[in-house]
Amino acid sequence: MIHKIGVLTSGGDAPGMNCAIRAVVRAGLRYGLEVYGVNDGYKGLVEGDIFPMDRNSVSDIVNRGGTILRTARLREFKEESVRQKAVDNLKKLGIDALVVIGGDGSYMGAKKLTEMGINCVGLPGTIDNDIASTDYTIGFDTCLNTIMDCVDRIRDTTESHQRCAVIEVMGNHCGDLALFSGLAEGAEMIITPDHPIPEEEVMESLRKLHDSKKSRAIVIVSEKIYPDIHAFAARISEQTGFEAKAEVLGRVQRGGSPSAFDRILAARMGAYAVDALLDGKGGICVGMVNNKIVDYDIYEALSLPRDKHISMLRLIDILK
Ligand code: F6P
C-alpha cells in the first residue's frame, strides 16, 4: 500500500503539463495520498527540491502553458550513482511512487527508478507526438493549433507578395507536427524525416507549380532536416521562379494556453496514473489508443514502431 507519491515534469515543456500535474495532485489527495511536487524534473529529484502539495497548489493552472514545476534535461540521470541520490531523497521523505510527465527520454529514467525500488508511471508530455504508445501526446494538439495560427498569418503575406513560404516546425526527428499542420493548411509540400523529398524533386515540383501560374506556395518542413533553412529557401529562389522566404517558428510553438483536447487528455491520463500506482504498478507509461486510456511497459512502449501516417499522406496527395 502506498501513502505518498511525487510528481515531476521533465524534458521540453508542453501545454497541458499543468493539467496533468493538477490531475495527479487532485486524484492523489482524493484517494487519501500525500502528494509531493518535484521542481526542475530529475535535477530537482537529485538535489532534493521536493515539497508537499495541497489542492490549492494546483488551483487556476488548467489554463496555463508551461509547467508550474518547471522542467530540465539531466543527461547524468543515466548514471546509476546519480539516480541513487534521487532514490535516497525520495526514501528520506517516505515517497513510495512517482508520476513522471515528459517525453521518451524521461520514460527511460522512470523505468530505471522503478528497477531501483520506486514505482514510476510515465505520462506522455511533449509537443512532438513522437511516442508510439499513444495516439496523441499531451501538448501536441495545442502546438498544432499554434502552428496553424502562425501559418495562417504567414499565408496572408505570402499571398500578397506572391512568394513561397518555407516554414520550419519542431518535432525532434518526428514529422507529425509538419504532417498534421501540412494537411490542416493544404500546404503544397510537406517534408518530414519519415517522408523526405530529394532536393531535386522539391525544386522540380515548385518550378512546375510556378510555371502553372500558381502565385504562391507553402512548404512545411520538420526541424533538423536542413542544417540551414534560409540557405534552402535561397536555393528555391534561385532555381524555381518563386521568391522564397524561410520562417523558423521555434519555441513560440511550445507556449500558450492548452487546448480543450490537451486539457482533457491530461486530466484522464493523470487520474489513470494515480490509479495505476495505487494498484501497485510501476515501470509503465500511459497512452490513449482509440480513445481509451491504456498502459504499456516502458521498454515495450519504447520499442513500438511509430505510426508513419501513410493514409494521411495519401489523403494529402489526393487533395493536392
Ligand atoms: O521535445 C520538444 C522540443 O520542443 C523539440 O521539438 C525540440 O527539438 C526540442 O524540444 C528543443 O529543446 P530546447 O528548447 O531544450 O532547445
Side-chain angles (χ1 to χ4, degrees), residues 12 73 126-128 170-172 223-224 251 254:
R73 303 182 204 272
T126 166
I127 59 164
D128 297 332
M170 281 186 163
N172 194 26
E223 65 175 354
K224 300 179 185 177
R251 287 170 191 78
R254 278 218 311 247

Side-chain angles (χ1 to χ4, degrees), residues 42-76:
Y42 290 129
K43 183 169 169 282
L45 208 55
V46 172
E47 291 172 357
D49 193 352
I50 306 170
F51 62 97
M53 295 182 89
D54 59 21
R55 62 185 315 287
N56 294 336
S57 346
V58 290
S59 293
D60 299 319
I61 65 167
V62 275
N63 58 329
R64 280 169 61 186
T67 156
I68 59 162
L69 293 177
R70 305 192 302 261
T71 185
R73 303 182 204 272
L74 184 69
R75 298 202 188 295
E76 297 79 7

Side-chain angles (χ1 to χ4, degrees), residues 41-244:
Y42 290 129
K43 183 169 169 282
L45 208 55
V46 172
E47 291 172 357
D49 193 352
I50 306 170
F51 62 97
M53 295 182 89
D54 59 21
R55 62 185 315 287
N56 294 336
S57 346
V58 290
S59 293
D60 299 319
I61 65 167
V62 275
N63 58 329
R64 280 169 61 186
T67 156
I68 59 162
L69 293 177
R70 305 192 302 261
T71 185
R73 303 182 204 272
L74 184 69
R75 298 202 188 295
E76 297 79 7
F77 207 66
K78 286 194 178 119
E79 292 161 29
E80 188 168 349
S81 58
V82 176
R83 289 198 303 276
Q84 190 58 52
K85 284 187 195 151
V87 171
D88 293 345
N89 286 334
L90 288 167
K91 291 212 162 134
K92 234 183 279 165
L93 290 166
I95 299 173
D96 318 283
L98 194 65
V99 178
V100 173
I101 307 163
D104 48 4
S106 315
Y107 278 8
M108 194 47 103
K111 187 71 187 179
K112 296 279 181 203
L113 280 181
T114 302
E115 288 167 1
M116 294 168 79
I118 305 286
N119 271 353
C120 292
V121 172
L123 297 189
T126 166
I127 59 164
D128 297 332
N129 211 38
D130 57 349
I131 298 180
S133 52
T134 186
D135 291 345
Y136 296 106
T137 55
I138 298 165
F140 176 69
D141 181 68
T142 308
C143 178
L144 200 51
N145 280 289
T146 303
I147 293 173
M148 249 177 43
D149 183 47
C150 294
V151 177
D152 282 350
R153 287 160 195 265
I154 294 168
R155 176 191 293 276
D156 290 344
T157 174
T158 301
E159 272 174 19
S160 307
H161 288 262
Q162 310 225 313
R163 285 173 172 158
C164 169
V166 180
I167 302 164
E168 186 185 279
V169 300
M170 281 186 163
N172 194 26
H173 306 294
C174 171
D176 286 16
L177 284 170
L179 195 62
F180 283 57
S181 62
L183 176 57
E185 283 291 339
E188 273 63 38
M189 200 166 277
I190 304 165
I191 306 170
T192 77
D194 287 333
H195 311 291
I197 307 178
E199 188 157 326
E200 265 173 37
E201 223 176 278
V202 173
M203 298 302 166
E204 173 73 16
S205 305
L206 288 174
R207 224 175 358 246
K208 274 194 189 146
L209 263 183
H210 187 262
D211 293 350
S212 71
K213 304 283 177 259
K214 182 92 184 167
S215 60
R216 58 106 198 106
I218 307 260
V219 178
I220 299 192
V221 183
S222 296
E223 65 175 354
K224 300 179 185 177
I225 291 188
Y226 296 99
D228 182 346
I229 197 80
H230 296 281
F232 175 58
R235 292 198 292 279
I236 293 178
S237 296
E238 281 158 19
Q239 297 176 35
T240 68
F242 279 115
E243 182 194 9

Side-chain angles (χ1 to χ4, degrees), residues 220-283:
I220 299 192
V221 183
S222 296
E223 65 175 354
K224 300 179 185 177
I225 291 188
Y226 296 99
D228 182 346
I229 197 80
H230 296 281
F232 175 58
R235 292 198 292 279
I236 293 178
S237 296
E238 281 158 19
Q239 297 176 35
T240 68
F242 279 115
E243 182 194 9
K245 297 276 179 185
E247 318 291 345
V248 178
L249 298 189
R251 287 170 191 78
V252 154
Q253 297 164 92
R254 278 218 311 247
S257 180
S259 65
F261 181 89
D262 279 330
R263 295 182 197 196
I264 293 165
L265 182 65
R268 293 174 71 189
M269 288 181 165
Y272 186 99
V274 175
D275 274 339
L277 290 177
L278 282 165
D279 285 345
K281 293 187 184 172

